[in-house]
Amino acid sequence: MSAHILEVNDLHYYYGSIHALKGISFYVDEGEKITLIGANGAGKTTTLQSISGLLDSIGIRGEILYEGSPIQKKPAHVIAKKGLVQVLEGRHIFPRLSVSENLALGAYLRNDRKNVERELGVIFEQFPRLNERRNQMGNTLSGGEQQMLAIARALLGKPKIIMMDEPSLGLAPLIVKEIFEIINNICAKGITVILVEQNSHLALRTADRGYVMATGEIILHDRCDKLIDNEHVIKSYLGS
């Protein structure tokens, strides 16, 4: 059994004839925060969606081990039920369902209804704005509230790993700060986080380790406190 909660070995992904991921390998330990950084088109989102089963498995080559078992050919709902959940870029809440109904869908794969009700109360304590808006339709929420809803919905799936794709996208700086405080609180509860984030400064200040991607490959890996001072990372992703 793998010592890592998640291990990706020589992963390739093909969109038809387009070779999007070119043999990437990385690992994540339980309770860690890791980040994937890189320019648009580097393959970060494709990596997350390959892991979570959201892409056609025909295009996958290589191995993805979750808790020591291969998951690279399993459907998304099976992977989610195992505790590996993704918060998609752009939130993807259900706009014509209420906040409460959106949250209920996060627990759709669970059978422990009593625990779900208890955890829903905890979620509303943790996200007081969602509690205030529990009967509002999803499309009436602000961008920040929709991001909170997407994260809260993922938490109701009882994840061991949450993968977050661009959680700050389109949000005002004060809301971004609030979202990243939520991410740090999630980690403090022992949930592992894999973060893809356009704001490389913020990502490297938040995570423990980072992987730098370019054109479908991992070109650099180190602790984030080292990467943030790396000349190549500064020049390419952080600005001088």
Side-chain angles (χ1 to χ4, degrees):
M1 185 173 179
S2 170
H4 310 299
I5 190 169
L6 182 72
E7 192 171 340
V8 175
N9 297 315
D10 194 28
L11 180 65
H12 296 254
Y13 193 82
Y14 295 84
Y15 292 101
S17 62
I18 299 170
H19 194 182
L21 298 180
K22 303 170 184 174
I24 67 169
S25 298
F26 67 93
Y27 69 89
V28 187
D29 288 328
E30 190 170 0
E32 257 195 320
K33 291 175 284 187
I34 76 148
T35 186
L36 306 177
I37 67 169
N40 288 339
K44 306 182 299 296
T45 293
T46 300
T47 299
L48 296 192
Q49 292 185 345
S50 297
I51 293 168
S52 59
L54 292 174
L55 298 179
D56 190 338
S57 63
I58 291 172
I60 290 180
R61 305 287 183 274
E63 183 179 57
I64 303 169
L65 297 175
Y66 172 62
E67 296 188 314
S69 299
I71 60 169
Q72 64 271 9
K73 297 293 183 180
K74 295 190 181 298
H77 70 278
V78 171
I79 293 170
K81 193 168 185 177
K82 288 176 177 289
L84 204 168
V85 177
Q86 183 173 349
V87 179
L88 295 167
E89 178 183 349
R91 276 81 80 173
H92 289 269
I93 64 160
F94 293 93
R96 296 175 188 266
L97 296 182
S98 70
V99 167
S100 292
E101 288 167 336
N102 269 277
L103 290 172
L105 287 172
Y108 180 75
L109 295 173
R110 293 177 58 179
N111 299 316
D112 52 337
R113 292 291 103 188
K114 288 184 179 178
N115 287 335
V116 169
E117 289 300 318
R118 179 180 56 79
E119 289 167 27
L120 188 57
V122 173
I123 287 289
F124 281 134
E125 289 177 11
Q126 190 177 350
F127 297 87
R129 261 188 276 181
L130 297 184
N131 188 25
E132 293 167 8
R133 292 156 173 73
R134 62 168 69 193
N135 295 319
Q136 285 185 218
M137 297 297 104
N139 59 4
T140 68
L141 303 181
S142 69
E145 289 163 352
Q146 289 186 18
Q147 187 65 66
M148 290 177 196
L149 178 55
I151 294 171
R153 182 177 61 187
L155 288 172
L156 276 168
K158 284 188 75 71
K160 297 177 183 178
I161 297 178
I162 289 186
M163 300 191 295
M164 298 195 184
D165 195 355
E166 303 288 8
S168 79
L169 189 66
L171 302 182
L174 280 175
I175 302 300
V176 171
K177 182 180 179 184
E178 192 171 351
I179 293 296
F180 272 78
E181 286 173 357
I182 291 167
I183 292 171
N184 284 324
N185 289 338
I186 289 169
C187 294
K189 293 179 179 179
I191 298 172
T192 305
V193 170
I194 302 174
L195 175 66
V196 164
E197 170 54 50
Q198 60 175 348
N199 185 330
S200 298
H201 271 291
L202 187 54
L204 292 173
R205 287 201 305 268
T206 300
D208 303 310
R209 290 186 300 112
Y211 293 88
V212 182
M213 295 189 68
T215 59
E217 299 178 277
I218 289 173
I219 60 170
L220 196 58
H221 159 238
D222 210 332
R223 290 191 54 81
C224 288
D225 57 1
K226 299 279 185 65
L227 287 175
I228 209 163
D229 292 324
N230 180 283
E231 285 188 18
H232 173 75
V233 173
I234 292 170
K235 182 179 178 181
S236 299
Y237 307 108
L238 303 181
S240 56

